[in-house]
C-alpha cells in the first residue's frame, strides 16, 4: 500500500491508492502549461506591457472585482453543498471535508484588514478600489440588481459589466449550477486567486512606494492573499479536492478539465483587461495618475 499523511498529520497506509500520481498533475503550473503559449503571452502583457500607472491598476480592478465576487460565491456554494446549513442541523458528508471548507470560509468571509477590522476579502477589495480611485459603481449596481432579480444576466445589463468579466462569471456559475462538488472544488483550488499574487505583487509593491495613499489597501490585499491563500488555504483546498475525487478516476478527469477551462477563462479575462488598457494612449493615461 501507499503511505499518505492525512490532514491531521497522521500517516496512513492506503491499499492500492493511485491518487499520488494523479494528484501530482494538479498544480497550477502544470495546468497552465496546457495553455503555455497564451498563458505566457498574457503574463507578459500584464507584467511588462500594461500595468505601470494608477489608471492601469484601476482598469484591472474594475474587471478583477467580478472574479473576487464570484470566488466568494463559489466558496459559499461549496459550503452549502458539503455542510449542513439548514435547521434542524444534521451531520452531512465527511467531517474532514466539512472542516476544510469551513476553515476556508472563516478566512475569506471574515478576515482582518490592516487595522484589525473584520471583513470579507470582497469588502476589503472594494475598499482598495475606493482608495485607488477605481470605479465601484458597476459592481455595486450588479450586486444590488442581483439581489432584486436573482438574474445574473439582468445584473450584468444593469451594471454594464465588461464582456470578459461576464464570461468569467458565467463559467463559474455553470459549474456551480452543475452541482458537482469535485468540479467546484477543482476550479476553486487550481484556477483561482492563488495565481494572482505571484503575477502582480512586485508591480503593485513598486507603485505602492510611489503612491502609498492610493495603493496601500490593494498592496495589503495581495499580501494577505499570499499569506492566506498561498499557504494555509491552498493546502486545505487541495486536501478537499483530493477527498472529493477520492478513488474515482472519472471525477479526477472531470476536475482536471474544469480546471483547465477555468484557467482559459482567466486568460480571457486578462486579455479583456489588456485590451481596455491599450485603448488609450499612454500619455493620456499617465495624466490621470494625480487625479
Amino acid at each position: 500500500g501507499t503511505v499518505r499523511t492525512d490532514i491531521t498529520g497522521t500517516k496512513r497506509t492506503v491499499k492500492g491508492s493511485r491518487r499520488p500520481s494523479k494528484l501530482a498533475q494538479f498544480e497550477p503550473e502544470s495546468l497552465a502549461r496546457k495553455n503555455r503559449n497564451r498563458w505566457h503571452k498574457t503574463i507578459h502583457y500584464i507584467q511588462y506591457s500594461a500595468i505601470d500607472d494608477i489608471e492601469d491598476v484601476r482598469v484591472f480592478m474594475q474587471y478583477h472585482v467580478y472574479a473576487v465576487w464570484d470566488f466568494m460565491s463559489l466558496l459559499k456554494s461549496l459550503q452549502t453543498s458539503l455542510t449542513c446549513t439548514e435547521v434542524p442541523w444534521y451531520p452531512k458528508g465527511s467531517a474532514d471535508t466539512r472542516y476544510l471548507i469551513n476553515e476556508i470560509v472563516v478566512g475569506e468571509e471574515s478576515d482582518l484588514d490592516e487595522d484589525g477590522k473584520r471583513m470579507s476579502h470582497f469588502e476589503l477589495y472594494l475598499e482598495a478600489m475606493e482608495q485607488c480611485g477605481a470605479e465601484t459603481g458597476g459592481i455595486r449596481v450588479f450586486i444590488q440588481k442581483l439581489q432584486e432579480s436573482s438574474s445574473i444576466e439582468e445584473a450584468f445589463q444593469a451594471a454594464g459589466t465588461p464582456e470578459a468579466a461576464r464570461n468569467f462569471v458565467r463559467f463559474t456559475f455553470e459549474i456551480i449550477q452543475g452541482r458537482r462538488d469535485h468540479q467546484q472544488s477543482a476550479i476553486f483550488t487550481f484556477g483561482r486567486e492563488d495565481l494572482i499574487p505571484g503575477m502582480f505583487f512586485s508591480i503593485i509593491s513598486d507603485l505602492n512606494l510611489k503612491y502609498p495613499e492610493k495603493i496601500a489597501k490593494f498592496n495589503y490585499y495581495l499580501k494577505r492573499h499570499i499569506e492566506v491563500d498561498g499557504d494555509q488555504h491552498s493546502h486545505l483546498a487541495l486536501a478537499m479536492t483530493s477527498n472529493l475525487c477520492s478513488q474515482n478516476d472519472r471525477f479526477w478527469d472531470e476536475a482536471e478539465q474544469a480546471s483547465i477551462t477555468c484557467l482559459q477563462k482567466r486568460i480571457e479575462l486578462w486579455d479583456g483587461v489588456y485590451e481596455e488598457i491599450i485603448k488609450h494612449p499612454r500619455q493620456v493615461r499617465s495624466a490621470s495618475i494625480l487625479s
Side-chain angles (χ1 to χ4, degrees):
T2 301
V3 177
R4 299 179 61 190
T5 302
D6 67 18
I7 61 173
T8 67
T10 302
K11 291 185 177 181
R12 302 182 186 279
T13 300
V14 182
K15 294 183 179 180
S17 174
R18 297 170 53 195
R19 292 287 70 77
S21 60
K22 198 75 169 178
L23 190 60
Q25 300 174 18
F26 278 78
E27 296 293 338
E29 293 83 2
S30 64
L31 290 175
R33 278 197 293 272
K34 300 194 180 222
N35 293 297
R36 180 180 291 276
N37 291 338
R38 293 199 69 228
W39 184 257
H40 284 182
K41 180 190 76 171
T42 302
I43 292 174
H44 175 78
Y45 282 167
I46 296 297
Q47 284 190 322
Y48 304 110
S49 301
I51 295 181
D52 69 356
D53 63 32
I54 298 296
E55 185 59 28
D56 297 338
V57 175
R58 291 170 182 161
V59 172
F60 167 77
M61 296 181 83
Q62 286 162 199
Y63 278 70
H64 181 232
V65 67
Y66 286 92
V68 176
W69 172 79
D70 92 339
F71 177 81
M72 298 299 297
S73 299
L74 181 61
L75 174 64
K76 297 302 287 186
S77 175
L78 279 165
Q79 186 185 38
T80 300
S81 181
L82 299 175
T83 72
C84 182
T85 57
E86 303 169 330
V87 176
W89 179 88
Y90 55 91
K92 183 178 182 180
S94 160
D96 283 345
T97 303
R98 295 197 300 264
Y99 164 78
L100 292 166
I101 190 62
N102 284 331
E103 280 290 297
I104 297 171
V105 168
V106 168
E108 297 287 344
E109 199 170 35
S110 53
D111 201 5
L112 297 173
D113 71 3
E114 65 269 38
D115 298 319
K117 178 183 175 182
R118 291 283 178 192
M119 64 176 59
S120 69
H121 285 183
F122 175 74
E123 291 164 313
L124 177 60
Y125 200 90
L126 286 181
E127 286 198 353
M129 290 180 72
E130 290 171 347
Q131 183 188 55
C132 183
E135 175 60 52
T136 62
I139 187 65
R140 293 185 187 279
V141 168
F142 172 80
I143 291 175
Q144 181 180 351
K145 185 65 176 178
L146 189 58
Q147 288 175 319
E148 294 171 356
S149 69
S150 298
S151 168
I152 288 180
E153 293 302 323
E154 288 183 20
F156 284 153
Q157 190 67 25
T161 304
E163 190 62 28
R166 296 187 191 199
N167 289 334
F168 186 85
V169 172
R170 283 171 181 146
F171 171 74
T172 300
F173 274 79
E174 285 176 11
I175 295 295
I176 289 173
Q177 291 161 2
R179 299 187 181 280
R180 299 180 71 80
D181 296 338
H182 59 287
Q183 289 182 321
Q184 292 187 53
S185 183
I187 68 170
F188 182 90
T189 304
F190 303 113
R192 310 300 300 188
E193 300 306 300
D194 57 329
L195 300 175
I196 301 302
M199 282 193 265
F200 296 102
F201 181 66
S202 62
I203 297 172
I204 301 305
S205 292
D206 288 344
L207 287 173
N208 185 49
L209 293 176
K210 296 179 181 179
Y211 315 107
E213 75 284 357
K214 294 182 180 293
I215 298 293
K217 287 184 180 292
F218 190 39
N219 192 51
Y220 175 82
Y221 171 88
L222 292 181
K223 283 184 176 180
R224 194 65 185 142
H225 264 291
I226 291 173
E227 293 169 1
V228 176
D229 289 352
D231 185 14
Q232 181 185 13
H233 286 185
S234 63
H235 297 304
L236 292 173
L238 185 62
M240 178 173 64
T241 302
S242 180
N243 285 353
L244 291 170
C245 290
S246 187
Q247 302 298 309
N248 191 316
D249 283 337
R250 180 169 63 84
F251 279 12
W252 280 106
D253 290 340
E254 290 175 352
E256 180 180 25
Q257 187 55 54
S259 300
I260 292 169
T261 304
C262 186
L263 287 173
Q264 183 61 40
K265 294 299 180 182
R266 185 170 287 280
I267 289 172
E268 292 170 7
L269 180 65
W270 297 162
D271 285 344
V273 173
Y274 175 73
E275 290 165 7
E276 182 67 26
I277 286 175
I278 64 172
K279 281 181 181 179
H280 306 291
R282 192 161 297 278
Q283 302 95 302
V284 174
R285 298 207 315 274
S286 62
S288 67
I289 293 178
L290 300 178
S291 63

